[in-house]
Amino acid sequence: MQPQKEKSSRIKTMLSRKKRNLKNLAFEREMASGKSTPNMQEELRVIWSKDITDLPVFKDLPRLARRIVVLGTLKKDFPLNYNDTEPPEEDKKGETFQIYLNTEKIKLNRASQWPKSYILCTLMLFKSLSGKTVIRVFKQTENQLSLYFQAPIDRLTAVADSTRYFIVENINVEMVTEKTNAGIAFITREESDRFKTFANDFTGQKLKNLENPDVQRRLEREKLRSMTVVNQQNEVQEINELQNFTAELLKTLGSAKHNIKELEHLRDTVSCRLSFLGRDIQKAAYDYPLESPVGLKKESINKADMLAIQQVITSVTAQLETKEKQQKIKEEIDRMIALNYEGDMQLLVENLFRNHIGLDSKTAKVFKAIHQNIIFSCAYQIKVNVTKNMIMTGDVRGPEGWQICVIFANDVVSITHRRREKSIGQNENDKFWFEWVLHMTFDKEMDNLNAAVLKIVGLQFEGVPEQSTREQIEKMFCFGDLLVA
């Protein structure tokens, strides 16, 4: 007979779990009843906060491991951010430009949607003794110029729909204590090009934030599409270059928590490069064949899956767990690989989490954000807010259909899902596919889901549709550049 004390402890554990899931159940019932439209971030938070045993993590990890790449590192100390509230000591003064300044609060990345409220101002570039390049905008008052605001040049960003307009983000304007954005317009395109050329020479580097995003995106896509992966050596080199690119960007990023725009650029660039690889991104990391040709033994297929799982899990635990725990997990996975396990991979992964990684560990919390249920929530948002059941779409099978990136960005953990969907039930000329990304941002302790962003990031026609059909689809998906939620 079970001792009363042990039985009481089990009952308390069960009640605690039920209490923890009460909010989740209430939310799900409210959604099922149709009485409320789900907020995506709240819905994702509810899914992620469930026990890992209530999610399809153990089932999905074996098939997804080869599509997950882990980049970056977590750090304790960061370089201080430049504080634009204190004027820098000028070491070098740059050229002067005449601009139109939009005095309204700018929130959109499209100048065509800004309020039409401009004043003529003067823009100057300065370089401080510390080497920071800043822009200063002056207003004409009586017979002299008065400083209106200043900001580091990396806060000046080109808009999506013009080559003359820019946004200056997160600035202090005169006596306004709340930080805001401002809009800048150069008088002519030639003047804008002259400014960008001068700024690049002045800083001594190519400033990507000054390039029009649409133009840059097209150039990057053309370059990536022209890349042909010849063999595994080139694939390994591509992953290594991506690791190096991320590491270099994180050096200048500082606190990702306070540099959201820079983090967004990093995540978009990385997910774009992974998408155009069009393959199982982890297969190049091993000498062992990860494909499944005819005649390959079952235990070999499982071994390939285990090698991919080992690569992903050890990369995550290296950032989140103690060295002792990392070593124990590695030894257990090595033991599993050596056994040539022939059974159900789901059971093997569950045993690994239950007995070695921990069901509520930081590592487990990362993988609670990597499974099919997360995707269902995003697909619902797209069908409700974008396609609105006017067009049927479905999954694209294969490596390009789903790529996942985990970035340890200094003081936050970012998990990105990039998915491709294709049209269904249309004639050959009207067929198309589109891509969307979900960026999820967690604190470095993996205690909270702080933000979630869902975007359409690509649209491609496979045939030559009629002009009216093409325009309808392009409008629906905003030409492949749409913030969904």
Side-chain angles (χ1 to χ4, degrees):
M1 185 174 177
Q2 189 180 34
Q4 187 66 27
K5 187 174 182 180
E6 183 179 345
K7 185 176 180 180
S8 175
S9 177
R10 289 184 61 190
I11 291 173
K12 286 182 180 179
T13 302
M14 290 173 64
L15 289 174
S16 176
R17 179 176 294 181
K18 286 183 178 181
K19 185 177 181 180
R20 217 168 37 241
N21 291 333
L22 186 59
K23 182 180 178 181
N24 300 358
L25 291 171
F27 181 85
E28 290 168 350
R29 286 170 182 168
E30 187 178 11
M31 293 305 104
S33 68
K35 294 180 180 179
S36 176
T37 302
N39 173 278
M40 186 194 70
Q41 184 168 317
E42 181 60 29
E43 187 174 7
L44 291 173
R45 186 177 286 115
V46 167
I47 294 170
W48 177 73
S49 64
K50 291 182 178 181
D51 292 336
I52 194 171
T53 53
D54 296 329
L55 299 169
V57 175
F58 307 141
K59 176 184 176 183
D60 288 349
L61 183 55
R63 68 188 180 93
L64 293 179
R66 281 176 267 181
R67 302 184 184 188
I68 303 172
V69 65
V70 182
L71 304 170
T73 56
L74 290 178
K75 298 178 181 178
K76 294 181 179 179
D77 302 313
F78 315 99
L80 293 176
N81 292 323
Y82 173 72
N83 183 358
D84 60 8
T85 60
E86 298 177 5
E89 298 174 290
E90 291 95 19
D91 179 32
K92 180 181 178 184
K93 179 181 175 181
E95 199 163 337
T96 299
F97 300 86
Q98 294 299 308
I99 61 165
Y100 289 111
L101 176 70
N102 196 314
T103 56
E104 298 289 335
K105 291 184 178 179
I106 303 300
K107 297 181 180 179
L108 301 171
N109 192 33
R110 293 185 175 273
S112 58
Q113 300 177 38
W114 290 357
K116 304 300 181 184
S117 177
Y118 294 91
I119 57 174
L120 187 63
C121 293
T122 300
L123 183 147
M124 296 183 187
L125 284 175
F126 290 87
K127 185 174 286 187
S128 69
L129 292 172
S130 62
K132 290 280 186 180
T133 299
V134 298
I135 61 169
R136 283 185 167 189
V137 173
F138 297 86
K139 288 194 302 183
Q140 184 74 40
T141 57
E142 297 179 353
N143 295 322
Q144 63 179 5
L145 293 176
S146 64
L147 180 64
Y148 191 60
F149 70 83
Q150 64 180 15
I153 196 168
D154 57 8
R155 293 191 192 168
L156 184 67
T157 307
V159 300
D161 61 346
S162 174
T163 57
R164 295 193 300 117
Y165 289 75
F166 298 80
I167 294 176
V168 190
E169 299 178 301
N170 202 26
I171 59 171
N172 288 325
V173 177
E174 290 186 329
M175 301 303 293
V176 180
T177 56
E178 184 179 78
K179 291 199 173 185
T180 184
N181 299 335
I184 284 178
F186 287 88
I187 297 173
T188 64
R189 176 192 246 179
E190 290 72 22
E191 189 72 354
S192 173
D193 291 339
R194 188 173 73 87
F195 167 75
K196 288 188 286 187
T197 300
F198 180 82
N200 289 331
D201 293 338
F202 191 70
T203 58
Q205 59 179 313
K206 181 73 172 176
L207 298 171
K208 292 185 177 180
N209 56 299
L210 300 184
E211 300 298 329
N212 180 280
D214 284 352
V215 175
Q216 283 297 103
R217 192 177 295 115
R218 284 196 295 271
L219 291 174
E220 287 178 6
R221 285 175 179 172
E222 289 172 7
K223 179 182 177 181
L224 289 167
R225 284 198 177 102
S226 67
M227 292 172 58
T228 303
V229 180
V230 181
N231 51 42
Q232 282 198 353
Q233 184 176 1
N234 287 345
E235 293 169 350
V236 172
Q237 182 180 357
E238 175 66 24
I239 294 296
N240 290 339
E241 288 178 358
L242 197 57
Q243 292 274 11
N244 294 335
F245 165 80
T246 304
E248 288 300 315
L249 211 58
L250 288 177
K251 285 181 182 178
T252 61
L253 181 63
S255 171
K257 187 190 302 182
H258 299 105
N259 290 282
I260 303 300
K261 190 70 177 180
E262 290 83 351
L263 176 62
E264 196 77 4
H265 169 69
L266 170 61
R267 297 190 294 195
D268 284 340
T269 303
V270 168
S271 68
C272 181
R273 291 181 67 173
L274 290 176
S275 174
F276 285 109
L277 289 177
R279 59 182 174 80
D280 286 334
I281 57 179
Q282 288 290 349
K283 75 178 182 182
Y286 318 104
D287 295 329
Y288 199 87
L290 297 186
E291 299 298 325
S292 303
V294 177
L296 194 63
K297 294 182 180 180
K298 184 176 180 180
E299 60 264 30
S300 298
I301 297 173
N302 276 357
K303 186 172 183 178
D305 287 338
M306 282 305 303
L307 286 167
I309 291 170
Q310 180 187 49
Q311 174 73 12
V312 174
I313 288 180
T314 53
S315 297
V316 173
T317 56
Q319 301 299 323
L320 297 175
E321 309 294 350
T322 63
K323 291 189 179 299
E324 293 77 14
K325 188 171 183 179
Q326 291 174 37
Q327 184 61 31
K328 289 180 180 179
I329 293 170
K330 182 182 181 302
E331 290 174 355
E332 178 60 22
I333 298 178
D334 287 342
R335 186 186 69 82
M336 290 177 172
I337 292 173
L339 288 175
N340 277 333
Y341 178 73
E342 298 182 33
D344 189 338
M345 286 296 294
Q346 179 177 343
L347 297 177
L348 192 70
V349 173
E350 182 175 357
N351 174 68
L352 182 63
F353 274 86
R354 282 188 180 277
N355 300 320
H356 303 280
I357 296 175
L359 298 179
D360 199 36
S361 63
K362 295 179 185 178
T363 299
K365 290 176 182 178
V366 168
F367 290 100
K368 281 166 64 175
I370 304 175
H371 54 83
Q372 193 72 42
N373 289 12
I374 296 291
I375 300 305
F376 290 155
S377 178
C378 300
Y380 174 82
Q381 292 290 334
I382 291 172
K383 292 187 186 302
V384 169
N385 298 313
V386 182
T387 61
K388 300 178 181 177
N389 293 324
M390 295 173 63
I391 294 178
M392 297 295 293
T393 62
D395 298 341
V396 170
R397 303 296 179 184
E400 71 277 11
W402 190 355
Q403 299 284 5
I404 302 155
C405 183
V406 180
I407 302 179
F408 293 99
N410 295 342
D411 61 342
V412 303
V413 181
S414 173
I415 299 176
T416 294
H417 294 265
R418 189 175 184 117
R419 290 272 291 186
R420 181 179 294 186
E421 295 190 27
K422 62 183 179 181
S423 59
I424 298 175
Q426 294 182 298
N427 62 52
E428 290 298 320
N429 286 335
D430 294 342
K431 285 187 176 180
F432 68 92
W433 56 258
F434 69 95
E435 288 188 334
W436 56 262
V437 294
L438 168 69
H439 294 313
M440 306 172 70
T441 307
F442 302 83
D443 64 286
K444 66 179 181 179
E445 299 298 327
M446 288 303 297
D447 288 330
N448 297 296
L449 170 59
N450 294 331
V453 177
L454 176 63
K455 302 188 293 186
I456 304 291
V457 293
L459 175 65
Q460 184 75 40
F461 290 92
E462 296 183 348
V464 184
E466 293 183 2
Q467 186 64 24
S468 59
T469 302
R470 185 185 188 95
E471 289 177 356
Q472 178 193 10
I473 294 171
E474 287 178 337
K475 183 178 179 181
M476 180 180 292
F477 292 95
C478 197
F479 299 90
D481 184 12
L482 176 66
L483 177 64
V484 180

